[in-house]
Amino acid sequence: MRVSLTTNERQVAIGLSFALALMGLIMAAAARHGPMSVHGIMAMALGLGLVFRLGGVLYEDPPASPDRDGHYDDGPTRAGITMALIWGLIGMGVGVWVAALLYWPEATPPWAATSFGRLRPVHTTGVIFGFGGNALIATSFYVLQRTSRTRLADALSPWVVLIGFNLFCAWAVTGYLMGETQSKEYAEAEWYADLWLVLVWIVYFVLYIRTLARRAEPHIYVANWYYMAFILVVAMLHIVNNLALPVSLLGAKSFTIWSGVQDAMIQWWYGHNAVAFFLTSGFLGMLYYFLPVRSGRPIWSYRLSILSFWGITFFYIWVGSHHLHYTALPYWVQTLGMTFSVMLLVPSWASAGNALATLNGAWHKVRDDATLRFMFVAAVFYGLSTFEGSFLAIRPVNSLSHYTDWTIGHVHSGTLGWVAMIIFGAIYSLVPLLYGRETMAWPRAVEWHFWLAVSGTLIYVVSMWNAGITQGLMWRTYNPDGALAYSFLDSVRAMAPFYLLRTIGGALFLTGVVICTLNCRATMRSAGQRQDARDRPLAPQPAE
Amino acid sequence: MPLRLHYNLEKVSMGLVGAIIVAASIGGIVEIAPLFTIDETVAIPADLRPLTPLELAGREIYMREGCYACHSQMIRSLADEIDRYGPYSLAGESAYDHPMLWGSKRTGPDLARVGGKYTDVWQVDHLTEPRSVVPASIMPRYPWLTAPLDTSNLSAELATLAKLGVPYDADKIAHAEADALAQSRPDSDGAADVQKRYGAGVAVRAFDGDPAELTEMDALVAYLQSLGTQTAAAKALMAGAGP
Ligand code: HEM
Ligand code: HEM
């Protein structure tokens, strides 16, 4: 591990790890059995592991060199990228498996933990939080330092954020396997895990603000606004949606304090803004940094970036109710949600357009450089999926699409086409820089990955569009005599070819991720000494 | 001019933080706050009963197994949904649901009114091996539901829900465990008490066919059979609306 901590920091770190182990012990002892005790043991093992790891090097390894403060602190970014890749493999591996189960349900093994309903949230949490979240945290540290020309405010808190966040993900995912869930989509983790995430998030926010306060640039760069909106609003959503009353402090079970229609509205206020501030805002931050850097072109329009930032931050919050068209939610709330969803297209396309216009004059690079092409495709899919989203939010369209696989198609055109592609673009830009190399270890493999990812996404999305529209039409078709034309089962049968195609598309995409991971590993193992000449120089640091 | 303002805002990190919080709060406040004050949002039907302890346990198994990932419980006010699934869902019907289980995906059919649609035997067979009764089904099988049901937490759960406003009184809370057992044993002494506490409409049967042992299957089937039967409000509304 290339952690460079001073002896003092190592001592504090040991103290924190010990506290974590103690907390785990208390949890395990208090709960005695069930998921909460397993989670206590996990925390304890992690804490003790860290104590030993740090204790082993406490006085042995040379303390951090005195010129440490003359370099950016990239250790947490390296670790975060590794975690993102590991979670990507887990999350998407499970994604392909659950996709296969829908085609081939007999394959479900007779163990509860491997049942579709328990694995599906493992997929969503694994990819959104594990893969997406780690990528966001890792790149946010990198971008924050470069655009502020300063080191992170201290050396420990980035590790607290990273390790704490991954413990949350691990708790969440193992909890579902054991049957522990709040059942709220994208917020399934139980109350103590939610509290833990709040703690981690506070550390993250404070670190961000403290680092910004040390910046050597007068202005806060656009990418940081987006990362900041991501941190702030996710905290707000997470806290409100997860307010719950535990049945006992000694067990995992809790009841959300919200009920019925209010719960539905709060859940989708959360749900759609998880899309907005987790899957969009933070990744736009990534785009606004890595796209200009990689293409060597400044962002096309500063005005447009302001407009789209505030448009997205303000409009998105209103749109959650488009998940509840024609339901028991009051009509006026649905209408507001629909209206703002349509208006949201303006700032969304402003962002996408700004990104594409930035590439003007660099198209030859897009042609030659698969890494930049990942970012280009991401911007295109961002434009496509937001257009589709605004369209789906229109009430009559939603009457057809809601509950069908069309939603799943929309989701994955956003997550595979936009989120995952921009992550790959950022990873391929960063990994060589972080490991002192000119290029990735296998530059040709990036090209392979690109085509696997694009074809996988297209197969996935097109098959789900077909599936969804077929389903929606079958459900609402009447015979001339006024009876429904198809039984539900007819629609289930009609899905089989689409589900098979989707599984194939997903498998192609996953193959790309495997290649990416191996490529990154090879690059990390052959790290060089090269200092990146393009890396922005650190501003002279004030003595601490 | 606004550009100038923004130019300056970019220099003040806490200013940006404040502006983001304000911009991102307005929509939620406007849309969500009124839902708690407007009475007609949730007119709780007078005859709405809370779930019995056994049904509640079943609901938790429903959540645990992720049935909500494939099944909705929210019939929209669209003609084809009403024809396929029954009267559209009212807000009041889920007033006691912490959390709601409206769902967002129909890989399988809506279950909001599935109570009474099938026999207990069909439900048990279907859950144990869906393809034994519906050959083309893609629903997973749930053979492990034969496990005994853990009822030790039920009193505490009812008490927690009572704090959140679900009408479980001290009597219901105190007898939660006994009621769970009795609901699956029609011949036992407690059976009549369950109906006394929760209403005559509550089904008291050996849901999995075996009154000797209380299993997770009992609980889940009891829950499924209760869906859509906790109040007659929706049916009454549709009848009143006329054909
Ligand atoms: C290898 C690629 C992937 C495959 C094969 C895959 C497969 C699936 C499947 C089968 C479902 C369940 C659909 C259903 O219930 O009908 C699903 C849901 C979902 N996936 Fe993926 N997925 C992949 C990648 C991703 C990625 C990278 C993300 C996010 C970054 C993602 C986010 C989601 C979300 C949010 C849902 C829930 C959708 C909803 O409830 O409407 N997936 N995926
Ligand atoms: C202008 C922007 C967007 C709008 C207006 C929009 C609108 C919508 C609508 C109307 C639905 C269907 C709700 C339903 O019928 O249940 C939906 C679902 C969804 N969208 Fe979008 N969308 C947008 C962008 C995106 C992007 C960029 C992503 C991903 C990165 C995304 C991810 C999702 C997810 C995960 C769901 C499924 C939620 C669920 O049912 O579990 N959306 N969106």
Side-chain angles (χ1 to χ4, degrees), chain A residues 118 215 302 310 403 478, chain B residues 6 10-11 65 74 83 104:
Chain A
R118 297 194 189 196
R215 73 185 179 278
Y302 166 70
W310 292 105
Y403 292 138
Y478 281 91
Chain B
H6 200 273
E10 284 165 32
K11 296 181 188 167
E65 299 301 341
M74 169 47 64
D83 287 340
S104 68

Side-chain angles (χ1 to χ4, degrees), chain A residues 88 91-100 102 116 120 123-129 131-132 185-186 268 275 279 283 323 404-405 407-408 411-412 414-416 419-420 423 460 464 499 502-503 505-511 513, chain B residues 69-70 104-105 107:
Chain A
M92 290 186 234
V94 174
V96 174
W97 175 239
V98 292
L102 286 180
F116 178 90
R120 191 185 192 270
H123 165 59
T124 55
T125 303
V127 284
I128 299 178
F129 295 100
F131 175 59
E185 258 186 285
Y186 320 127
W268 287 112
V275 168
L279 295 178
F283 290 103
H323 290 260
T404 70
D405 279 302
T407 308
I408 306 297
V411 170
H412 289 86
T415 54
L416 300 178
V419 170
I423 293 181
Y460 191 124
M464 284 300 101
Y499 285 171
R502 184 249 306 267
T503 311
L508 291 179
F509 198 90
L510 178 65
T511 312
V513 184
Chain B
C70 286
S104 68
K105 178 78 208 307
T107 304

